[in-house]
Amino acid sequence: MVGLLPLIAAEVLEDELLEKLPSFSKRMRWFLDNRPDLAQHISYLCTIHDGPRCQRLLAIPSQERLERILRVMLDESEFLSPHGLRALSRTHLEHPYRFDVQGNEWRVDYVAGEGTSGLFGGNSNWRGPVWMPVNVLIIRSLLNLYPFYGDDFKVECPTGSGNLMTLFEVAHEIERRLQAIACEAGNLGADATRASWLIFCRARTGDEQSR
């Protein structure tokens, strides 16, 4: 999921906002004009809306990179699950990441539900509470990007399905899948707190087969 975080660094700036922030506008213009070595790593685009008015996109991924990130993020064999975006790509279920240190092999496996190792914080960190807020931040970023790219920019969701969606629709699809956690908990009867926790543990990795 760390590889999806560049999506969050995106903001669309309207002319009206920049006119109210002359100091920021001046520094932004200086940065783009005088630090091409750094500016080349961000996306700075301008589209014309409503006559002479302009929308400026400040983002890390270009449109091409955005499409590549979304292709992986919305792949149900990678990050997209029935319960939102997984903390770790499901591709590591069959292809764990391995590395050797002084003759010892260490590996990162895809494990649905409760963790089987204390590495990287066990069930804390990416397997714990931070998972849901990052999903929400990615949804917010997609909603931020939508006014700039508009209805003409569409991606497959899920990847390979042939179903094309705008960024607005993708955001709401991820939101719908996150809401499924609470819906399932409500269907499991009286012990709703325990049910919610069990479903949350499974949803962090999003493996529907872990039930």
Side-chain angles (χ1 to χ4, degrees), residues 56-205:
R56 294 172 174 83
L57 171 66
L58 288 179
I60 292 178
S62 63
Q63 180 173 332
E64 178 186 359
R65 289 177 177 174
L66 175 63
E67 290 174 334
R68 289 163 57 190
I69 292 173
L70 293 178
R71 190 178 305 122
V72 175
M73 186 182 86
L74 300 176
D75 188 337
E76 291 182 315
S77 66
E78 293 260 10
F79 286 98
L80 186 64
S81 83
H83 303 106
L85 300 174
R86 298 180 173 102
L88 182 68
S89 171
R90 200 173 188 277
T91 191
H92 293 297
L93 178 65
E94 298 179 357
H95 306 285
Y97 177 75
R98 296 183 174 91
F99 59 99
D100 294 316
V101 178
Q102 297 180 345
N104 296 315
E105 182 186 80
W106 302 88
R107 51 191 285 160
V108 177
D109 296 276
Y110 174 89
V111 180
E114 296 293 332
T116 57
S117 169
L119 289 174
F120 313 111
N123 284 318
S124 64
N125 301 328
W126 290 107
R127 296 187 64 86
V130 76
W131 167 81
M132 177 69 81
V134 172
N135 267 259
V136 173
L137 286 172
I138 290 176
I139 290 172
R140 179 182 180 276
S141 177
L142 293 171
L143 294 175
N144 279 346
L145 290 168
Y146 170 70
F148 183 84
Y149 285 110
D151 291 331
D152 292 333
F153 181 79
K154 296 183 178 182
V155 295
E156 276 190 312
C157 182
T159 298
S161 67
N163 184 38
L164 297 179
M165 292 187 181
T166 65
L167 296 180
F168 181 84
E169 293 169 329
V170 170
H172 280 277
E173 174 61 17
I174 297 172
E175 180 182 338
R176 182 190 67 78
R177 291 175 182 238
L178 286 172
Q179 290 172 346
I181 301 171
C183 293
E184 289 191 27
N187 293 331
L188 289 181
D191 193 357
T193 300
R194 176 60 179 166
S196 297
W197 172 246
L198 288 173
I199 294 173
F200 175 78
C201 289
R202 295 163 183 159
R204 286 174 301 185
T205 47

